[in-house]
Amino acid sequence: MDYYEMFRMTRQDMFTHQETTRHYLRIRVGGGFVCRLGTVQVPYDRQKRSQNIDEKSQRKWKLVLNCAISECFISRDEDQCDAYLCSLARDGIQALLTKVWDLPSEQIDNSIYVTLPKPVTKLPREKPVPKGKEITKWEQYAREKGIKRRKKGKKVWDEVLKQFVPRYGYRKILAEKEKNWVKEVPDNADPYEDQFAKAAEIKKENIAKNEYQRLRNIAKHRKLKVPNVGITGNEYASAKDLGLATHYARHATASLGKFQPDLPNEKKVKGLGKKRKHEDTTGDAEVEKKRYMAVLEKIDKPDLNLEGAVHKQIRDENVIMDLERRGGKKYGRRSKMGGRHRTKSDHRAAKLGKGYHKIKAKIKSKAKFGGTGKGGSKGNFGDMRKGAGKGKGAGKGKGGGKAKR
Amino acid sequence: MRPLKNEEITVVFSKLKHYIGSNIKALLERSDGLYCFRLHNGRVYYVKEDIVKFASTVPHENIISLGVCFGKITKGGKFLVHITALDFLHPYCQNKIWMKESAEQNFMYGNHVYKSGLSRISENTPKYAGVVVYSSKDVPLGFGVAAKATAECRHSDPMDIICFHQADIGEYIRNEDTLT
């Protein structure tokens, strides 16, 4: 029904997303879209309608649907509160009904009808207002210096060729080739340097630099972080590119990647790392000949390495003898090396099946049978073997047998 | 075109040793200049050093051959001797086989040497030794591998194979396209 209410609200303005605290006085008159003026029961002062409303005292009334909304400061004075609010209410209703009367009305069956305008529901923005495009470094600079963009034509007059040449494209390259069929070597340059290659290299560098700056601008616009040095990651990088990136990352350590541990499932990329170098085609022929001779010598060598075999045999027997002499035990109760077979000779002895425990067993057996058995036969040759030269040792059956391998 | 690596040279020399034995040194130490081996498109070429320097100025895709092609190194790393090496190898060859006139044609068509076609064989030829095949007029016809040692040859059947065919001069016509 008819009522007025006052309330305070802190809200975010839907349109500008700004927060404000406002006092509201809401007056509601009637209900429904079509308001039959005849049934309004609020004391409506027809006289006041024709009066000029005082501009100063007129408050802004927002008329939404059937509400008249006004923002105003309301004093907290108790005495005047009620009467003040009443007057406010009346003003509000007045403003509302003024508007209603201003609308085109029609008379049907002795009643005056007014069609209220359709409510326009302004939906608030879902997202904040977009910020304008950021200007690039070049644009900023151009603005400062006052450089303006000039429209360039497609063709350019070439003095040398005496014709119009396109500014870009296939025909431009052809024209350049015609013009630059020869290049002077400057005085201070290396005579064997390829000037054409040098020029091509410079051009490549320029293109790469341009591309890098373009991408940097894009990254800046999208607020991505781009490193100054190294390879930038790309979501759609191929496996090969990623491999390359990991390769460089791995090598960017103090030890140049030598002691860099692998990741759990890391696969090494093929084709990276040091390229194997072949010898020079037109290198020193004398050196090459020496190389051939060396290879020839190797081929001419016989297959049997008699010397090596003999040395090996002598060493093995020395190791075993040593072990037996010690009684199979090198260290005291607390082993310095912390366990079994720690030295080279121990390893060798173990390989020959003559380890610490086996020696122990043998010594026990020796004691039992009084010096006969396996250990005994070895003992006879002991002195001879230790000091024996290559020939002597090999002379006995053992040396020859080993060499056959 | 590149020089051969040590592994490749080993393979080449081992094969050549079958035919010319210890005379490989004679190939390297020549009075008329320094000779070297070069690898190009899988083929081993025996070239003089100056010619190599000239050849290095030519783009490698345009080089077909240089010097003398001794043979080729297969993908599996083995070295096969080609007929083009005959002129350089036959003077140093240790084991030789001479053929009868009637059997010469047969060998030059790519067939093996049978006892019936054999005229002479050098003494002390071990079994499976590398051999150069000559005609009765002492014209070198090609390479082979002795299937039987000299002693065995004397007591073998006329239809027994004495020498396996490796290369013959008939290839110059038959394999004209592939020889370089």
Side-chain angles (χ1 to χ4, degrees), chain B residues 103-173:
Chain B
E104 277 167 28
Q105 274 270 332
N106 204 3
F107 180 71
M108 282 196 277
Y109 272 99
N111 298 320
H112 299 302
V113 179
Y114 294 97
K115 172 78 193 301
S116 51
L118 184 72
S119 145
R120 273 194 294 152
I121 183 165
S122 56
E123 273 191 21
N124 296 327
T125 309
K127 200 175 183 183
Y128 306 130
V131 143
V132 173
V133 177
Y134 286 88
S135 76
S136 46
K137 303 277 193 313
D138 266 339
V139 174
L141 297 177
F143 294 114
V145 171
K148 293 186 190 241
T150 316
E152 285 175 37
C153 280
R154 294 206 185 100
H155 307 293
S156 48
D157 272 358
M159 286 327 288
D160 276 354
I161 294 176
I162 295 288
C163 169
F164 297 118
H165 167 281
Q166 296 280 335
D168 66 88
I169 50 178
E171 276 179 33
Y172 281 113
I173 299 167

Side-chain angles (χ1 to χ4, degrees), chain B residues 3 25 88:
Chain B
K25 273 193 186 160
F88 282 83

Side-chain angles (χ1 to χ4, degrees), chain B residues 10-177:
Chain B
T10 317
V11 168
V12 171
F13 282 178
S14 317
K15 198 58 187 278
L16 292 179
K17 219 171 124 194
H18 285 305
Y19 293 96
I20 59 181
S22 51
N23 289 333
I24 297 177
K25 273 193 186 160
L27 277 180
L28 298 172
E29 286 161 356
R30 286 172 71 123
S31 50
D32 58 341
L34 278 173
Y35 280 74
C36 51
F37 292 92
R38 287 289 179 270
L39 193 76
H40 178 65
N41 280 351
R43 294 202 146 93
V44 175
Y45 295 97
Y46 176 67
V47 221
K48 217 170 172 179
E49 187 211 339
D50 336 348
I51 308 246
V52 167
K53 285 194 177 160
F54 284 127
S56 65
T57 63
V58 180
H60 75 276
E61 52 267 359
N62 296 350
I63 294 178
I64 297 175
S65 176
L66 59 157
V68 176
C69 174
F70 264 29
K72 78 173 187 193
I73 292 190
T74 58
K75 293 259 165 73
K78 303 233 162 79
F79 178 66
L80 300 170
V81 181
H82 283 184
I83 190 62
T84 40
L86 188 62
D87 290 326
F88 282 83
L89 297 186
H90 86 85
Y92 304 112
C93 193
Q94 290 165 339
N95 305 311
K96 302 175 188 182
I97 281 181
W98 285 263
M99 298 198 67
K100 292 180 188 160
E101 275 152 21
S102 51
E104 277 167 28
Q105 274 270 332
N106 204 3
F107 180 71
M108 282 196 277
Y109 272 99
N111 298 320
H112 299 302
V113 179
Y114 294 97
K115 172 78 193 301
S116 51
L118 184 72
S119 145
R120 273 194 294 152
I121 183 165
S122 56
E123 273 191 21
N124 296 327
T125 309
K127 200 175 183 183
Y128 306 130
V131 143
V132 173
V133 177
Y134 286 88
S135 76
S136 46
K137 303 277 193 313
D138 266 339
V139 174
L141 297 177
F143 294 114
V145 171
K148 293 186 190 241
T150 316
E152 285 175 37
C153 280
R154 294 206 185 100
H155 307 293
S156 48
D157 272 358
M159 286 327 288
D160 276 354
I161 294 176
I162 295 288
C163 169
F164 297 118
H165 167 281
Q166 296 280 335
D168 66 88
I169 50 178
E171 276 179 33
Y172 281 113
I173 299 167
R174 287 200 314 272
N175 302 342
E176 195 184 336
D177 300 327

Side-chain angles (χ1 to χ4, degrees), chain A residues 276 278-286 288-289 291-293 295-296 299-300, chain B residues 1-6 9-10 13 17 28-29 34 36-38 49 52 56:
Chain A
R276 57 164 196 193
H278 289 304
E279 283 201 27
D280 226 357
T281 306
T282 46
D284 198 352
E286 288 283 348
E288 210 182 322
K289 194 168 130 188
R291 194 158 65 89
Y292 294 150
M293 292 308 204
V295 170
L296 258 183
I299 295 175
D300 286 336
Chain B
M1 182 172 67
R2 62 167 174 85
L4 286 116
K5 288 186 261 183
N6 280 346
I9 276 282
T10 317
F13 282 178
K17 219 171 124 194
L28 298 172
E29 286 161 356
L34 278 173
C36 51
F37 292 92
R38 287 289 179 270
E49 187 211 339
V52 167
S56 65

Side-chain angles (χ1 to χ4, degrees), chain A residues 347-366:
Chain A
H347 278 294
R348 190 75 204 150
K351 203 174 180 185
L352 296 169
K354 314 260 184 254
Y356 160 57
H357 297 286
K358 292 200 175 154
I359 290 291
K360 239 185 159 182
K362 222 196 283 175
I363 291 161
K364 275 191 185 165
S365 71
K366 244 192 193 173

Side-chain angles (χ1 to χ4, degrees), chain A residues 100-112:
Chain A
V100 170
W101 276 108
D102 285 340
L103 292 169
S105 57
E106 44 191 38
Q107 207 173 24
I108 303 168
D109 298 335
N110 292 332
S111 305
I112 308 169

